[in-house]
Amino acid sequence: MAKTGVFDSDPTVMEKVAELKKELMKLVNSIVQNENCSIETIDQAQDTLNALKELQLSKKSISLKLKDCPLEFRCPISKELMKDPVVVATGQTYDRPFIQNWLKAGNRTCPRTKQVLSHTVLTANNVMRELITKWCKSQGIELADPVQYINELGVTEDDRERFLSLLKSMSSTISEQKEAAKELRSLTKKMPSFRALFGESVDAIPQLLSPLNQIESHPDLQEDVITTLLNLSIHDNNKKLVAETPEVITLVMEALKSGTVETRSNAAAALFTLSALDSNKVLIGKSGALKPLIDLIEEGHPLAMNDVASAIFSLCLIHENKARAAHDGAVRVIVKKIIDGVYVDELLAILAMLSSHRRAVEEMGELGAVPALLRIIRQSTCGRIKENSIAILYTICFNDRTKWKEIREEEKENATISKLARDGTSRAKRKASGILERLSRAVNLTHTA
């Protein structure tokens, strides 16, 4: 009986069986429907039937043999003979597809020992593979050569080895650190699979940060490490891991203060992407990262402004960070920039966010925000800018009665609020109408008095 390559042949055998049955049906139909069918056709049908019989007997024989295979050759999960044995962090061996499904389901323990896995890297168990191969040969079963493993993200074993090698180089000489950091930056930018690899081990990010004490004195190394962190944070499954790794936020904060313009911009972008999680917003806010972000706004470098403004806006979506931003001088810096006409759209969005914090609102009024906002509403053609301006103005005026005089004079001279109540966005119309109603009540009260 011919050997059968079981492990890559399950689907192939099924296809072969289907093929033989199809061929047999065609031949039988020809024999039944054709009274003068040839002897050759009958012989072909007989040969096909014999091949089908042999294949079925072979499958049955192999199935019986597999049931008698040694227990150590069976996967603890599937209870079947292992096709591609791999070792997990605890030293236990499993069949690759089954342990992969276990990990993919979100499990981070060893199915057999119940221990928490320190990493999820799967290492080929070549010794076990050789033992299984020898046993299969002794049973007349052909074990097919394993195809190079590629996971669903496209990571090969070679990729994985390269990844581990680069991380190891981050603890080597400064020249090797720089070379490895540059390559990790490139790989994590181009390949989502390399970003995912960092999530497989709790040691990967600390290894990336190995040259921590040398980073500031080597701007190119700092830029590559910070940009790699940015690339990693784009991957949703990494956000929590990156933010909660000790030294990451500290390193990013130092980069905001002392890095090149590109490094500072990428550091701000990293905080923005990490802040997609509310738990990270809290962590970043408590770290004191808002202050260097606000300082960057004050510096006003055009290459960094967009990323910095996005980071501050995202962080201030939670109330405690609004208080921190106000305490760290955000209102003063932002109002001045708006008055100067710098990044008005982005900074108005932050100011509108901060306007739900009472102290921030008071400071806006004190810093001369009202005339600046009225001018912006009057001159701008952007609906979003007008909307944020009137929203801020509404909050200031309803918190500080002394500002109604400026509003009244603006309305009398330019009808700025009335025009917005008529032509603005739906939100802008509501805020503008609210201000006009308040003005109307004030006038009526004056006449009555």
Side-chain angles (χ1 to χ4, degrees), residues 349-382:
I350 299 174
L351 208 60
M353 181 77 68
L354 294 176
S355 66
S356 63
H357 188 270
R358 186 174 183 82
R359 177 67 195 108
V361 174
E362 291 172 358
E363 196 174 353
M364 290 175 203
E366 293 165 4
L367 291 167
V370 171
L373 293 168
L374 288 169
R375 174 177 53 79
I376 290 168
I377 294 170
R378 190 170 62 246
Q379 296 177 354
S380 177
T381 57
C382 175

Side-chain angles (χ1 to χ4, degrees), residues 2-6 57-67 140-141:
K3 293 180 181 179
T4 304
V6 196
L57 286 171
S58 175
K59 280 174 61 184
K60 186 175 181 180
S61 173
I62 290 170
S63 178
L64 288 170
K65 289 177 182 178
L66 291 180
K67 285 182 180 178
I141 301 170

Side-chain angles (χ1 to χ4, degrees), residues 78-93:
S78 69
K79 310 302 182 187
E80 297 174 0
L81 187 65
M82 288 184 282
K83 306 173 184 179
D84 188 3
V86 292
V87 180
V88 299
T90 58
Q92 298 294 318
T93 297

Side-chain angles (χ1 to χ4, degrees), residues 335 338-339 344 348 351 364-365 368-382 385-397 402-421 431-432 435-436 439:
V335 168
I338 288 172
I339 290 172
V344 173
L348 274 172
L351 208 60
M364 290 175 203
V370 171
L373 293 168
L374 288 169
R375 174 177 53 79
I376 290 168
I377 294 170
R378 190 170 62 246
Q379 296 177 354
S380 177
T381 57
C382 175
I385 287 177
K386 288 175 179 283
E387 180 182 305
N388 280 327
S389 296
I390 195 67
I392 299 165
L393 200 59
Y394 181 92
T395 308
I396 293 174
C397 292
T402 66
K403 304 304 174 187
W404 285 103
K405 182 180 179 183
E406 293 175 73
I407 300 288
R408 192 179 296 111
E409 289 175 356
E410 174 70 27
E411 187 60 20
K412 181 187 276 188
E413 187 172 343
N414 298 300
T416 301
I417 310 298
S418 296
K419 290 175 184 176
L420 192 58
K431 297 295 183 181
I435 291 175
L436 290 173
L439 280 176

Side-chain angles (χ1 to χ4, degrees), residues 74-76 82 85-88 91-95 112 125 128:
R74 295 179 182 274
C75 173
M82 288 184 282
V86 292
V87 180
V88 299
Q92 298 294 318
T93 297
Y94 299 92
D95 202 2
R112 175 175 272 176
N125 189 336
M128 180 61 75

Side-chain angles (χ1 to χ4, degrees), residues 130-242:
E130 183 62 28
L131 290 172
I132 292 173
T133 302
K134 286 181 179 178
W135 181 83
C136 286
K137 284 182 179 177
S138 72
Q139 300 297 313
I141 301 170
E142 185 179 350
L143 183 62
D145 291 332
V147 179
Q148 185 185 33
Y149 164 65
I150 301 178
N151 72 10
E152 62 183 5
L153 291 172
V155 177
T156 66
E157 292 293 351
D158 288 342
D159 290 335
R160 204 176 291 275
E161 286 176 15
R162 182 59 183 154
F163 168 71
L164 295 173
S165 173
L166 289 170
L167 288 181
K168 187 176 180 181
S169 296
M170 293 302 290
S171 300
S172 190
T173 64
I174 188 66
S175 61
E176 288 180 310
Q177 288 173 358
K178 288 184 176 183
E179 188 177 336
K182 192 168 293 296
E183 187 168 352
L184 283 168
R185 172 182 178 172
S186 175
L187 289 170
T188 52
K189 177 183 179 181
K190 297 173 184 175
M191 298 175 64
S193 52
F194 263 81
R195 297 174 209 152
L197 280 174
F198 274 87
E200 291 189 350
S201 170
V202 293
D203 298 323
I205 296 175
Q207 283 181 276
L208 174 67
L209 304 183
S210 296
L212 193 61
N213 58 346
Q214 303 183 69
I215 283 179
E216 283 189 65
S217 55
H218 295 276
D220 52 342
L221 178 59
Q222 183 186 41
E223 183 178 310
D224 288 333
V225 171
I226 290 295
T227 308
T228 301
L229 287 173
L230 166 60
N231 295 340
L232 295 183
S233 66
I234 294 170
H235 191 74
D236 286 343
N237 292 343
N238 286 342
K239 293 185 191 299
K240 187 176 177 64
L241 177 66
V242 172

